[in-house]
Amino acid sequence: MTPETKGFLLLSVIKMLAVFTVILVGVALLTLMERKVSAWMQNRRGPNRVGPAGLLQPAADGLKNILKEETFPAMANRGLFLLAPAISFIPALLLFAVIPFGAPLPVDFDFTLGPLGRFIHHGFMPMVVADLPIGFLFVLAISSMGVYGIALAGWSSNSKYALLGGLRASAQMVSYEVAMGLSLIPVLLMSGSVSLSAIIRDQQMGLWYVLPLFLSFFIFLIAGFAETNRLPFDMPEAESELIAGYHTEYSAMKFSFFFIAEYSNVVTVCAMVTTLFFGGWDIPFTHWDEAGGVLQTVATAAFFFAKVMFWIFFVMWIRWTLPRFRYDQLMALGWKVLMPLALAYIMVVCVAIYLIRRVFGITDPIYEGLALFGLSLVVAFLVFGLLDSGIFIKGSARQRRTLNARARRAPVT
Amino acid sequence: MAIGVKILKRPEREVSYVRATLKGMALTFKHMFEKKVTMQYPEEKSTGSDHGMGQWTISPRWRGTHRMLTDEQGRSKCVACGLCPQICPANCIKLVPGEDERGDRYPLIYEIDEFRCVFCGYCQEVCPEEAIHVGVHYENAEYSRDRFVYDLERLSSQTHAVSTLWDPTDPKGE
C-alpha cells in the first residue's frame, strides 16, 4: 500500500466515524425534538424532567429500551424476526455516506506511525464519506432496501396487524419509489450528472434547483414523506388501524432500531432535499465558500446543518398538522397524480432545456435557471390550480354529491 | 335522521388540499408560540397560576378522603350515635361506641377503610354533630395498603378543607 492510499484510508475512517456518530446522536436528539415540536404545536411543554430542559430524555429512553425484556411472539420466524430490525437499520445509516456536507477541507499531513508505516495526504479532502460517481442512484437503490426490513418484520411476526403493516409498507414504498425516481430525472437533465458533488457545483454556478425545478422538488418531497413512512403517509404504522403496524410485536432495543431507522431515513431525505434542490452546503449570494479552506468548511457545514434542520422541522410540522390519508387515496395520489405529473414534467423540462440551450443558445446557467424558473411558475400555477380545484382527488362532500346524482339518474327497478 | 346530527354544508370550492394544508400549517405554527397550558403538577398545585385557560381550582363540592372535626379541647366531635356506619352504602366505617364517666358516648374505635369508601358523602350529610366530613383533598399516595384504613387519630389530625357537598351559590343543584 502506498503512503497516499493509507492517508486516504485514514481520512475515510475518520470521516465514517464522525458521520456515524453525528447521525446516531442526532437521531437520538431528533426523537426529543419531535416530542418537543409536537408538544409546542399542542400548547404543551414536552419532556422537561430528565436533565436540563429534558435534554437527557433520549438517554433515558435508550437506557429503558436496553433494559427492557425482549419478547418473541409464539410461532414467529425467529431468524427473520431478529434480522428485520437490522435490515431496516443498516440501509438507513448507509445512505448518508454519499451526501456532501461541507466545502472541501484542505488537509496536509505526512507522518510515520510505527509499524503501520507512512501516511501522506495533500490537497483538498471532500467532505463526504464516499463521493460516489453514481450519486443519487445509490440513494434510491439503498433506500428501497429498507422496505425489506419492514416487510420481513411484518411477515415474521406471525401477527395479522404486523402482516398488514408490512404489506402496506411494501406497496406504498414501491409505488412512491417510482414517482421519486422520475422526479429526479429533471435534476439529472439540468446538471448532466448524477453525482451529488457535481449537482451542488452546478447549483453554485446557477440557481438552486428549487426555483427552476419546483415541481420536481414538490414531488420528491411528497415521495420522500411516503418513503420514510411519515405522516400523512404513515399507513404501515397507522396506530388507529393497525396498533403499531409492522413493529407491533417488537419490544426493547429491536423496537428502537426501527425508530432509529425511521429517523435516520428522515435525516437522509431532508439532506437529499437540501442537496438536490437547496444547493447542498452552498451559501447563497456569495462565491466565497467555493474557494475552500478551514473557515469555509466550517461555515458551509453549519449552513448545511441549518438547512437540513429546517427540513427536519418541516417534516415534523407536517406530521403534527395533517391527518393520515386513507389507503386508496394514498395509492391514487402515488399512481394517478404524482407519477403522471413527474412524467409530464420530464417532457416539459426536456423540451424547455432543448429550446433554451439549442434554439435560443443560452449557456449562462443563471439565465437558463431564470428561464426555467419562469416556466416552473407557470407549471406550478397550473398544477396547483388543478389540484386545488378537487378534480383529481375528490373531497368527501363532492364525492357524495356525485354518488347521489348517479343514484338519481339510475332507473329504479 | 337521528336527532341532534348536524349536517354541515361544505362549500364546493373549499374542498381544497393545497390551501387547506397551508392553512393548517399556519395554524400549527402559530400554536408553537402560544402560551403553554401544561400545569407543572408537583410544583404547581391546584390553586396555582393562570394557565391561559383561567385559574383552575378544586371545587368546594369535591368529596375526598375524610376528616373528623374536633372540639376546643381537641376531642373529636363524634358522639358515636352510629348513624354513619348505618347509612354507609359501602360499609366502610367501623364504629365501636364507648361511654365516659359522665355518661357521654364517644367512639372507642372509629375506622374508615378508604379503599372501600365510594365517597358518596352520606356520612357527612347524616352526621348530627357535624363531626365526620369528606375532605377537599386528593393526594393520598401511600407505600402500603393497610395505611388506607384511617383510624380516629389520623382522621382528627387531617387539616385539609372539608367539602360543602353542595354549591352554596346554587343549593338546589341547578
Side-chain angles (χ1 to χ4, degrees):
Chain A
M1 234 193 293
T2 62
E4 284 79 13
T5 320
K6 274 194 269 184
F8 171 76
L9 278 179
L10 180 70
L11 283 180
S12 294
V13 168
I14 291 172
K15 277 190 286 190
M16 275 179 220
L17 286 177
V19 167
F20 280 142
T21 314
V22 167
I23 292 287
L24 281 177
V25 174
V27 160
L29 287 172
L30 282 187
T31 59
L32 177 68
M33 178 177 163
E34 172 101 62
R35 292 170 68 177
K36 278 283 188 188
V37 167
S38 75
W40 291 336
M41 285 184 176
Q42 295 164 353
N43 291 18
R44 295 183 288 113
R45 284 175 201 273
N48 60 355
R49 293 295 153 133
V50 193
L55 275 176
L56 292 179
Q57 186 70 42
D61 290 344
L63 196 66
K64 182 193 80 175
N65 273 325
I66 288 170
L67 294 177
K68 268 191 155 185
E69 185 192 356
E70 302 263 349
T71 53
F72 293 95
M75 305 293 287
N77 189 326
R78 271 280 176 123
L80 291 179
F81 189 75
L82 282 172
L83 198 61
I87 291 182
S88 62
F89 176 72
I90 290 167
L93 284 183
L94 266 183
L95 283 175
F96 215 83
V98 292
I99 291 169
F101 49 89
L105 181 71
V107 182
D108 289 294
F109 58 76
D110 182 353
F111 62 89
T112 313
L113 200 70
L116 289 174
R118 204 162 159 224
F119 292 84
I120 297 179
H121 191 276
H122 288 297
F124 286 103
M125 173 184 76
M127 292 298 270
V128 49
V129 174
D131 192 7
L132 292 181
I134 53 168
F136 65 66
L137 295 181
F138 175 83
V139 174
L140 290 180
I142 299 292
S143 73
S144 53
M145 275 176 54
V147 75
Y148 280 108
I150 291 176
L152 283 179
W155 184 76
S156 65
S157 295
N158 187 33
S159 149
K160 49 190 169 297
Y161 299 112
L163 181 62
L164 276 174
L167 285 178
R168 282 181 175 196
S170 30
Q172 171 181 337
M173 288 170 94
V174 167
S175 308
Y176 278 81
E177 196 93 335
V178 178
M180 192 184 226
L182 288 176
S183 76
L184 290 184
I185 290 180
V187 174
L188 173 60
L189 288 170
M190 275 288 278
S191 68
S193 167
V194 288
S195 155
L196 293 173
S197 306
I199 289 171
I200 291 174
R201 216 175 302 125
D202 200 56
Q203 292 183 75
Q204 283 168 339
M205 312 253 242
L207 296 174
W208 287 1
Y209 285 170
V210 63
L211 296 177
L213 301 175
F214 181 74
L215 207 56
S216 266
F217 156 70
F218 188 69
I219 296 168
F220 183 82
L221 193 66
I222 293 179
F225 275 103
E227 283 287 298
T228 50
N229 299 327
R230 296 283 298 185
L231 268 169
F233 304 111
D234 75 333
M235 233 52 61
E237 275 180 57
E239 294 92 343
S240 51
E241 302 158 29
L242 297 179
I243 308 191
Y246 60 90
H247 53 56
T248 305
E249 304 291 347
Y250 281 88
S251 65
M253 212 53 203
K254 295 204 295 301
F255 170 74
S256 285
F257 268 38
F258 283 117
F259 254 70
I260 297 171
E262 180 183 324
Y263 278 96
S264 39
N265 275 326
V266 169
V267 175
T268 315
V269 163
C270 294
M272 281 293 283
V273 168
T274 308
T275 308
L276 292 171
F277 298 102
F278 286 84
W281 44 263
D282 180 36
I283 301 175
F285 311 121
T286 173
H287 288 285
W288 166 79
D289 55 314
E290 288 146 41
V294 178
L295 194 60
Q296 277 88 338
T297 304
V298 174
T300 50
F303 224 77
F304 179 77
F305 178 75
K307 286 186 210 175
V308 172
M309 282 315 281
F310 170 77
W311 284 110
I312 290 172
F313 170 74
F314 186 83
V315 168
M316 292 174 180
W317 187 6
I318 290 279
R319 168 167 181 185
W320 296 101
T321 301
L322 295 182
R324 187 178 300 130
F325 272 65
R326 218 170 51 208
Y327 197 65
D328 61 318
Q329 289 175 331
L330 170 96
M331 281 296 162
L333 182 69
W335 288 109
K336 292 186 190 165
V337 180
L338 291 186
M339 201 189 72
L341 205 61
L343 273 175
Y345 194 58
I346 292 172
M347 302 280 284
V348 171
V349 171
C350 275
V351 173
I353 288 181
Y354 176 78
L355 286 177
I356 291 167
R357 286 191 187 159
R358 294 287 158 77
V359 178
F360 300 120
I362 301 170
T363 46
D364 188 318
I366 293 195
Y367 289 120
E368 187 194 356
L370 283 176
L372 277 168
F373 175 48
L375 176 75
S376 76
L377 278 183
V378 175
V379 170
F381 184 77
L382 282 176
V383 167
F384 292 123
L386 285 176
L387 269 184
D388 216 26
S389 67
I391 292 168
F392 286 129
I393 318 174
K394 292 191 181 70
S396 52
R398 188 171 257 248
Q399 210 155 25
R400 193 166 57 228
R401 207 195 60 150
T402 347
L403 283 177
N404 288 347
R406 218 173 278 159
R408 270 199 302 277
R409 271 203 305 277
V412 183
T413 49
Chain B
M1 188 63 58
I3 298 162
V5 175
K6 198 167 147 195
I7 300 289
L8 289 175
K9 179 117 181 62
R10 290 196 178 81
E12 293 270 303
R13 287 300 299 170
E14 283 184 25
V15 185
S16 153
Y17 294 88
V18 179
R19 270 176 297 158
T21 304
L22 292 178
K23 216 191 267 178
M25 287 175 72
L27 184 76
T28 42
F29 196 74
K30 204 178 77 212
H31 271 273
M32 285 187 71
F33 304 103
E34 277 178 5
K35 202 165 179 185
K36 308 285 178 263
V37 295
T38 314
M39 188 171 77
Q40 300 285 305
Y41 165 62
E43 291 90 25
E44 293 178 39
K45 286 293 168 64
S46 57
T47 49
S49 56
D50 189 348
H51 293 283
M53 293 167 74
Q55 210 164 46
W56 188 81
T57 48
I58 188 166
S59 164
R61 299 174 60 191
W62 176 275
R63 302 190 299 265
T65 47
H66 302 78
R67 177 180 169 194
M68 177 71 81
L69 295 192
T70 52
D71 60 12
E72 298 80 48
Q73 284 95 48
R75 294 172 307 191
S76 86
K77 282 184 176 177
C78 179
V79 295
C81 64
L83 280 174
C84 48
Q86 189 64 37
I87 201 160
C88 181
N91 198 14
C92 68
I93 302 176
K94 181 181 177 188
L95 171 64
V96 175
E99 210 168 297
D100 64 8
E101 61 281 0
R102 293 200 329 226
D104 291 342
R105 283 161 68 94
Y106 71 98
L108 277 176
I109 300 175
Y110 191 96
E111 281 177 1
I112 298 185
D113 186 345
E114 301 289 352
F115 269 161
R116 297 196 66 161
C117 179
V118 295
F119 300 104
C120 59
Y122 282 4
C123 48
Q124 177 176 348
E125 265 190 73
V126 81
C127 185
E129 298 293 318
E130 297 191 346
I132 189 73
H133 285 79
V134 278
V136 184
H137 185 65
Y138 54 90
E139 289 166 317
N140 299 312
E142 291 288 354
Y143 283 103
S144 77
R145 294 181 69 88
D146 36 279
R147 294 275 294 149
F148 279 94
V149 180
Y150 288 10
D151 58 10
L152 185 60
E153 196 190 344
R154 180 130 178 237
L155 287 167
S156 307
S157 64
Q158 302 288 333
T159 52
H160 53 72
V162 294
S163 174
T164 59
L165 288 185
W166 61 83
D167 187 351
T169 61
D170 178 21
K172 285 182 179 170
E174 290 159 346

